[in-house]
Every structure is written in structure tokens, then in C-alpha cells.
Amino acid sequence: MRQKTVYECKSCGQKTPKWLGRCSACGEWNTLEEVKPETAVSDSSLQAVRNEIKLARRMEEGPRPDFVKLEEIEEKSATRRLSTGIRELDRTLGGGLVPDAFTLLGGDPGIGKSTLLLQMMRGLIETNSEISVLYVTGEESLNQIAARAKRLGVEGHGRIFLAAETQLERVFASVYELKPSVVVLDSLQTFSSQYSESAPGSVSQVREITSRLMTLAKTAGIAVWLVGHVTKDGSIAGPKTVEHMVDTVLYFEGEGGQSYRLLRTVKNRFGNTNELGVFEMEGEGLSEVENPSSLFLTERKELVPGTAVAASLEGTRPLLIELQALTVPSGLAMPRRTASGLEQSKLSILSAILERHMGLPLLSRDLFFNVSGGMRLSEPACDLAAAAAIWSSIEETPIPGDWVFLGELALTGEVRRATQIEIRIQEAQKLGFRHLVIPDSTPAKSLRGIEAKIHRVSRIAELAKILA
Ligand code: TYD
Ligand code: MG
């Protein structure tokens, strides 16, 4: 489009289509200059306006906004959970299975993920009479699953369906046909979508599958479980690559050679994280461990120096765990600090506090630290027990088996109160501990009904006096 030239007077602003030597409005000479004409509305901004109008119209015509009262949501979700029939599993899920939840179960190959999920399916159909479940395996043959089911004594009652399939679209077809309440896919790394070119197990393929399954869970209201093997080499994408995409992440763990298994909640949009379920792998599958503290307190026939019991808390569950320390004279300029079940840096901090505020000669000693049963300590409340174990090793003085310690150590050497101290104290009492070493600041009401002897400490230096 040809645009007309416009001249404007610098002095009075008068516009004229023709150049003049003298402004016809103000009479000044040589004040007219050529200016670019303003187009009132450019084509592109016109288009933007049209789009806005369209959008506004569509909003008027489209679905009405949808909202509910807060109380209604809470009422609904309270009644909406399905019990898996396995108490340890229900607790780690935050009180049962949410019907449209997408759960990722990670763990090393061979740890027992498929076993757990098969037992869960049994639990689900036995506790919820109206539901059916679908187990899709991309790894094993149907005969292998049937053999495992037989070994576990799982009966289908016509409501457990199995499929050996690796193509996602075909899994969806089965799901739409069966309309199960729960679908398990075992495992993530074996499935592929026909719309993705990448190899099964690649990062983009596992992400594609995970996102499609999330849509399935939410739109169809089906609880989806996805198994993901933890992988050692980088050639196959591990469960970590999709953790952010799912509602709940559980990890199934065990110690080499040991029969117990820990089910940890790493992420949960429907409950607490750090929950812990404890199982034992036996000949007939996984059994629940009612009193896990008994697992983590090693049987001690005779008293040995270097151990102390901590009252830890895993999620909502109190757990008494034995801590072990070994100190030996060190020839190194930088003495060794080796920890298993505890962060290396945490052990260094503890050593520094004990050296400075308790006068323990740790600078000249190597220190090895272990948490029994392959547990991991992430809790500051176990500091006091760790200190006691280290003290005991250095002094070569055993701590009797009926003592328990709980308290956090500050860098200043103060012993501080642990969270939820009452639950921990109650557990210790239940398990028959006779001596409780606790922070001085523990309120008296937390000790109501406690028969054990109470030893209060406000600074770590006082610990030696109590133990000597
Ligand atoms: P599995 O559930 O197949 O592990 P994952 O799915 O995590 O790879 O369990 C494999 C191990 O569990 C296998 O080494 C055998 C053992 N197991 C038992 O000890 N008892 C049992 O009843 C079952 C079914 C398995
Ligand atoms: Mg398996």
C-alpha cells in the first residue's frame, strides 16, 4: 500500500500534505518537515484484536467454570481410598490407594517389586469386593506370573486379569475393554508407544509412556502403578527420570543377603513422605513386619562397647535402631571418617562437636560408623545416640542394652529437643527400655506414664557423667 507523505510544522504542529516554505497556520518560515504517516491500526495489531474477541466469545460459549467447596473435596477424598489389604502398604501410601493416583514403584531388579504388586492385587480384590485389577507384564511370560501367583497362594476370583504386552496402545485397549480399578505395568523400561520412535527404555520413551499413563489415570479415574528398575549404567533410563511426573514415588529396598525389605515413600501428593513400610521376603512371598524395631536392634548376648540405641522416626512411625561406632588410633594426618547409613559430612560434624564439647580425642582416631539393619539415618534426633556410641567405643565402656537416647546436637554442644518426642518415648517404653536419655528441655507432659528412669542432658558434656 502506498503511503502518502505528510509534512508537519516543527513550531505549531500543523500537518499538511504538501511542502510549503512558510507554515500556513503560524506563519513561520522553513519549519515544515516530512514525517512518517501514522497508520491508525496496523494489520498485525488488528489481528491480535480479532483473536482477543474470538477468545472472549469462546469463553462465553465454552464449558462453564467448575469449582467446589473446600470441605466437599476433603469429604470426598476421605472416603475415596481403597485399602490394598496390606497395612504396611496402605500406610506408606498415606492411608490406602487413591483411585486415580499414579504411583511409581522403584527398586533394584530382584528386590521383590513384582512380588509386592501381585500380593497387592490379591489384597485389593479381597478387601474391595466390587473391583477388578489388570497386571501387564512386559518382562515375564504369563506362565511365570502364574507360577509366582501359585507360590504366593494368590487366587484370581475372576477379577485379576493378566496381559503380557509391551506396546502401550495395546495396553490402553485392554484397559478400555476391562475397565479395571487398578492397572500395574511392569516395568516402565520395557514398554513403548507406537507414536514414539525412540528405543524402549530411552529417556524420551519412558517420559512419553509416563505422561500418557498419567492422562489415563486422571481421565479414566484408574489407579496406575508403574514399576521402574533402578539402573546402574546409563543406557536405560531409571525411575528418577520420571519421578517428577507422577503422584507418588515409592522405593523398595533391601540389604544384600538380608531378607527384610523397606518400602519408602519418596514423594506423595496424597500423604506423608518418609513413611516406611517394613516387609520380610520369605518362601511364600512378602510378609509384613509388625514390630520393625525388633529387626533393627541386633540381639546382643553380651555387652560390647561402641553401640547405642536411637529412637528414630520414619514418617509417622517410631523406630528403635542400634548405632555402632568403632574408633581406632589413626596414623593419618586427616583421620578417617567412614559412615554407612549416615552422611559422611554429618559424621564429620558430630566428631567435631564431640572433640570440642565433650573432649573426646577424635582428632587422633579413625572413626567408623554403622547403622544396624542397613537403615539410613536422616534424622537429627539420632545425634545423641551416635554420640553415646562413639563415646562408648573410645572409653571401651559398653552401654547396657536397655538404654535409649534421643536428642539433637547443636554445634554449640547443646542437646536440643527432637520433634514428636512423645511418640518416640512411648515406643521405647513399649519395647521395655529402662533408661531414657533425653534433652533437658523435654516437657514433663511428654513423660506422663513413663516408668523408665529419665536422664536429662542439656549439654553434651554431661553425657559422660551419666554413662560413666
Ligand atoms: P521379584 O518380585 O521378581 O523382584 P523384582 O520384580 O523387583 O525384580 O522377586 C524376585 C526375588 O524374590 C527372587 O530372587 C526370588 C525372591 N522370592 C522369594 O524369596 N519368595 C517368593 O515368594 C517370591 C515370589 C520371590
Ligand atoms: Mg519384576
Side-chain angles (χ1 to χ4, degrees), residues 36 47 64 232 258 267 294 375 378 402:
K36 285 258 156 65
Q47 191 54 44
R64 301 196 57 91
K232 297 281 181 284
Q258 309 248 30
K267 164 183 175 180
S294 64
M375 285 291 297
S378 50
D402 58 353

Side-chain angles (χ1 to χ4, degrees), residues 2-38:
R2 226 190 103 243
Q3 284 174 350
K4 276 198 190 142
T5 313
V6 174
Y7 300 89
E8 186 177 326
C9 171
K10 278 192 288 186
S11 164
C12 70
Q14 166 80 0
K15 288 189 177 96
T16 137
K18 267 195 311 197
W19 190 85
L20 300 167
R22 186 180 182 208
C23 176
S24 59
C26 65
E28 291 287 328
W29 285 96
N30 287 326
T31 54
L32 286 163
E33 253 183 18
E34 187 181 336
V35 291
K36 285 258 156 65
E38 294 163 28

Side-chain angles (χ1 to χ4, degrees), residues 109-110 112-115 135 137 139-140 148 186-187 227 229:
K113 300 180 293 299
S114 303
T115 307
Y135 186 102
T137 175
E139 296 190 338
E140 292 169 299
R148 183 189 283 127
D186 188 359
S187 68
V227 172
H229 293 296

Side-chain angles (χ1 to χ4, degrees), residues 144-325:
Q144 278 172 304
I145 307 232
R148 183 189 283 127
K150 198 167 170 206
R151 181 172 173 186
L152 301 174
V154 172
E155 282 175 39
H157 302 288
R159 290 188 286 130
I160 297 183
F161 295 89
L162 302 176
E165 185 55 68
T166 54
Q167 209 213 57
L168 192 65
E169 285 72 25
R170 291 176 55 94
V171 175
F172 282 0
S174 303
V175 170
Y176 291 132
E177 174 77 27
L178 282 171
K179 301 183 180 58
S181 300
V182 182
V183 182
V184 172
L185 290 98
D186 188 359
S187 68
L188 165 65
Q189 288 103 341
T190 59
F191 290 96
S192 63
S193 159
Q194 66 184 30
Y195 301 114
S196 173
E197 310 254 288
S198 358
S202 63
V203 171
S204 65
Q205 186 69 261
V206 301
R207 292 222 169 114
E208 162 81 15
I209 283 162
T210 308
S211 101
R212 301 266 302 279
L213 288 171
M214 184 56 140
T215 314
L216 175 75
K218 300 304 164 190
T219 55
I222 292 174
V224 176
W225 283 75
L226 187 56
V227 172
H229 293 296
V230 170
T231 52
K232 297 281 181 284
D233 64 358
S235 61
I236 295 179
K240 281 254 171 306
T241 46
V242 293
E243 274 185 2
H244 63 286
M245 303 169 74
V246 304
D247 294 318
T248 304
V249 178
L250 306 180
Y251 274 88
F252 208 32
E253 302 169 352
E255 275 291 290
Q258 309 248 30
S259 63
Y260 61 83
R261 301 281 182 270
L262 305 177
L263 185 65
R264 287 181 190 280
T265 316
V266 173
K267 164 183 175 180
N268 196 356
R269 288 188 182 144
F270 309 118
N272 254 333
T273 50
N274 299 322
E275 279 294 356
L276 185 73
V278 185
F279 297 88
E280 202 162 357
M281 181 64 94
E282 294 168 342
E284 303 80 42
L286 293 156
S287 62
E288 299 180 63
V289 176
E290 298 272 314
N291 174 12
S293 291
S294 64
L295 265 183
F296 303 115
L297 296 174
T298 50
E299 301 243 330
R300 280 175 291 169
K301 304 241 158 38
E302 55 184 286
L303 287 179
V304 285
T307 70
V309 175
S312 179
L313 201 67
E314 294 285 334
T316 55
R317 146 183 276 178
L319 209 55
L320 285 116
I321 315 174
E322 186 194 76
L323 310 184
Q324 302 152 2

